[in-house]
Amino acid sequence: MLYPEIVIAGCGNPLFADDGFGPAVVEELKKLTLPDNVKVEDAGLGGPHFIFTLLDPEVTKKVVIIDIADYGAEPGEITKLRVEDLPPGAYRDAHSWDLAEPLNRIKDSIDITIIGCQPKRVTAPEFEIGLSDEVVRAIPKTIQVVLEIIGVDYGTARQCLQEERQPGNAAETCGCPETR
């Protein structure tokens, strides 16, 4: 079995500033002990096109995609999208592959949620390693949303991740904007 019942895929390239959001969230999620029916995968840059076409709808029932999404919000705000919310050609990777197309092929048999974070900067083709502060602060809220989607209640683990990712800001429980 290639993928289990629930797949969480972080998309993006950490070489292009905020485009590394998906892999950064995956890195944090991998620190948690999740149920055996959940696979957390760094889907990288071009990988999503292939990963999404390798899913078996007989086994995989839910996919959560974590990526940047320019939807005109303030940097660091997150939103939940369905495949139907993506206009044709609007969801592409850096190689201009339309990622909505393989998602549209499986959306009727697999529940797909895309968690998009508004980037502050994406530097492609120039390299810049590191996320903006606004996008870093969105990581704990994104983890919380992912855990809610997959039905895992970590309570204190989420709080620890929030405090860890927000040094000097321990008074706030989460400095991230609410999910739209």
Side-chain angles (χ1 to χ4, degrees):
M1 170 174 55
L2 188 55
Y3 293 111
E5 183 181 354
I6 300 171
V7 176
I8 302 166
C11 302
N13 188 336
L15 295 176
F16 301 133
D18 289 342
D19 193 35
F21 174 71
V25 173
V26 161
E27 183 178 322
E28 296 299 320
L29 281 167
K30 285 186 174 185
K31 294 177 182 178
L32 302 175
T33 302
L34 298 172
D36 290 340
N37 68 335
V38 177
K39 172 76 173 172
V40 179
E41 190 73 47
D42 181 345
L45 185 61
H49 180 75
F50 300 105
I51 288 173
F52 302 147
T53 58
L54 295 174
L55 296 172
D56 180 357
E58 296 297 317
V59 177
T60 303
K61 301 301 176 196
K62 184 179 297 244
V63 173
V64 180
I65 300 166
I66 304 160
D67 203 351
I68 57 168
D70 187 356
Y71 60 100
E74 291 296 316
E77 286 189 29
I78 60 173
T79 189
K80 288 195 297 188
L81 302 165
R82 309 296 301 166
V83 175
E84 298 81 11
D85 298 330
L86 303 172
Y91 187 46
R92 296 183 173 275
D93 71 8
H95 298 290
S96 297
W97 293 348
D98 185 355
L99 299 177
E101 184 267 325
L103 295 176
N104 271 308
R105 278 191 270 138
I106 61 173
K107 72 179 174 73
D108 292 332
S109 54
I110 299 175
D111 178 29
I112 302 171
T113 302
I114 302 159
I115 302 173
C117 178
Q118 177 67 46
K120 182 175 184 178
R121 64 181 183 279
V122 177
T123 59
E126 301 299 320
F127 295 144
E128 181 182 324
I129 297 174
L131 302 174
S132 65
D133 291 342
E134 295 88 342
V135 170
V136 167
R137 286 191 298 268
I139 293 172
K141 178 64 177 177
T142 304
I143 291 169
Q144 180 181 357
V145 171
V146 169
L147 294 177
E148 289 169 0
I149 290 170
I150 66 171
V152 173
D153 181 12
Y154 259 85
T156 56
R158 291 189 304 221
Q159 181 64 31
C160 287
L161 284 170
Q162 290 168 352
E163 290 172 3
E164 179 183 315
R165 296 300 291 189
Q166 297 180 46
N169 202 10
E172 292 185 44
T173 59
C174 183
C176 308
E178 291 297 313
T179 306
R180 301 178 90 209

